[in-house]
Amino acid sequence: MVLESDRKRALDLEAKDVGSRLHQQLAGLDALELSEGTRRNPALRVWSAVWPMLTAVAIALLAWQAVVWSGWKDPWVLPGPKDTLPVLWDQVTSGSFWSAVRLTMQRAIIGFTVSIAVGVLIGALVSQSRILRRAFGSLITGLQTMPSIAWFPLAILLFQLSESAILFVVVLGAAPSIANGLIAGVDYTPPILLRAGKVMGLRRLNLYRHLILPASLPAFVAGLKQGWAFAWRSLMAGELLVIIGNTTSLGVLLSQARELNNTADMISYMIIILIIGIVIDQLFGVVDRAIRTRWGLDRT
């Protein structure tokens, strides 16, 4: 018995020694990768991130100008970049324009925040219950694929021309994507992590908070990104259809430019809407890269 216990103790010490050496080697490799990443010139890193976007913008402007040069439409119907970009600059430098942007972004932030709360609640309940998943799983996907503009007749009947009508459609457009993202993240949580969490005493809310949510974070962020895209599209459709009193938003400005046949103004507002969408997408990209870096998945 003494020899058996000594043998086990020796094996445990050897295993700990091997584990310690492996940890040191992995730490050395991580440090080597980090040092290689920090050797790059910051200016080069910025340029490597910016030049593809600048190239895409240049190609888009050239294609736009080529269509104008082709004579497909009269210049008053489809003005070129040289006629539209000065109008865009005038809009950007006016105070009334930024008031409209502020109202639109306020609606977007409120709608997206409510969508996150609703989507997380639904996703958490459905992902943890087989009965709820069978009952509502397909319904959530169906709501996600349903065009948000189809909800506006009902929203106007329920809430008239009000902020609530816009918020209603934004939430219905974004919440299903957020819920599906959380459900997918929970589904792909490795079972070994769940068993380890239960062995460590994690149950119910603590298990969800300390293990399942962190493990499902990449898929959840992807769901948030998709949810924002649906929320932004729903909001733009809502501002075009639901005009509330004397309020001025990007959708209202776009609608007024269309009614006045002012194509240059209309295209400039469309460019601003596109730029806002790109900026928010870049913010989600920063969060995604931070998560991948934390998990050791960033190979750039």
Side-chain angles (χ1 to χ4, degrees):
M1 296 294 293
V2 175
L3 292 176
E4 185 69 21
S5 62
D6 291 341
R7 186 179 299 112
K8 289 183 178 179
R9 189 178 299 108
L11 290 175
D12 290 340
L13 291 174
E14 184 179 357
K16 290 181 179 179
D17 183 59
V18 172
S20 177
R21 283 183 293 172
L22 180 60
H23 178 73
Q24 292 176 358
Q25 291 174 357
L26 292 175
L29 289 174
D30 291 340
L32 179 60
E33 289 181 355
L34 290 174
S35 64
E36 288 178 352
T38 56
R39 287 195 198 109
R40 294 184 61 186
N41 190 331
L44 292 178
R45 295 181 63 182
V46 172
W47 173 247
S48 64
V50 169
W51 77 261
M53 291 186 288
L54 295 178
T55 303
V57 170
I59 293 174
L61 291 176
L62 287 174
W64 180 8
Q65 187 62 54
V67 172
V68 174
W69 282 336
S70 69
W72 177 54
K73 294 292 183 180
D74 293 331
W76 66 271
V77 177
L78 181 62
K82 68 176 183 178
D83 297 323
T84 303
L85 295 182
V87 174
L88 175 61
W89 176 254
D90 292 338
Q91 295 291 346
V92 170
T93 54
S94 67
S96 59
F97 171 80
W98 288 108
S99 297
V101 172
R102 182 168 57 252
L103 176 59
T104 296
M105 294 307 301
Q106 178 181 336
R107 290 171 173 171
I109 293 172
I110 294 174
F112 190 55
T113 302
V114 176
S115 299
I116 292 175
V118 174
V120 168
L121 178 61
I122 294 175
L125 293 175
V126 172
S127 63
Q128 296 301 305
S129 172
R130 293 183 179 179
I131 296 176
L132 290 178
R133 180 172 299 217
R134 291 173 182 172
F136 298 105
S138 298
L139 177 61
I140 294 173
T141 303
L143 290 174
Q144 181 180 353
T145 58
M146 187 171 178
S148 58
I149 197 171
W151 289 105
F152 275 104
L154 176 62
I156 294 173
L157 284 176
L158 293 176
F159 302 103
Q160 287 76 47
L161 297 178
S162 65
E163 297 286 346
S164 298
I166 299 176
L167 179 63
F168 175 77
V169 177
V170 169
V171 173
L172 283 176
S177 297
I178 297 172
N180 270 337
L182 181 57
I183 293 170
V186 172
D187 288 344
Y188 284 95
T189 301
I192 190 172
L193 290 180
L194 298 176
R195 290 196 294 269
K198 292 178 180 179
V199 169
M200 295 172 63
L202 296 177
R203 294 291 186 275
R204 296 182 180 179
L205 183 61
N206 286 331
L207 179 67
Y208 210 89
R209 176 185 174 186
H210 296 291
L211 193 148
I212 295 177
L213 275 180
S216 62
L217 196 56
F220 181 54
V221 171
L224 288 176
K225 185 176 180 180
Q226 189 177 44
W228 164 258
F230 281 105
W232 188 238
R233 292 195 304 178
S234 301
L235 177 60
M236 289 300 100
E239 290 188 343
L240 286 170
L241 295 175
V242 181
I243 300 177
I244 305 169
N246 295 324
T247 59
T248 302
S249 61
L250 282 176
V252 171
L253 293 177
L254 186 63
S255 178
Q256 290 175 351
R258 177 188 60 82
E259 292 175 356
L260 297 174
N261 291 327
N262 196 337
T263 312
D265 280 356
M266 186 171 62
I267 294 177
S268 66
Y269 297 137
M270 293 171 63
I271 292 174
I272 292 297
I273 293 171
L274 176 63
I275 291 174
I276 293 175
I278 292 173
V279 169
I280 301 298
D281 178 76
Q282 291 298 312
L283 293 178
F284 277 112
V286 171
V287 175
D288 182 63
R289 285 191 295 273
I291 294 174
R292 287 190 283 111
T293 301
R294 184 176 179 85
W295 285 32
L297 301 174
D298 193 357
R299 300 178 182 177
T300 57

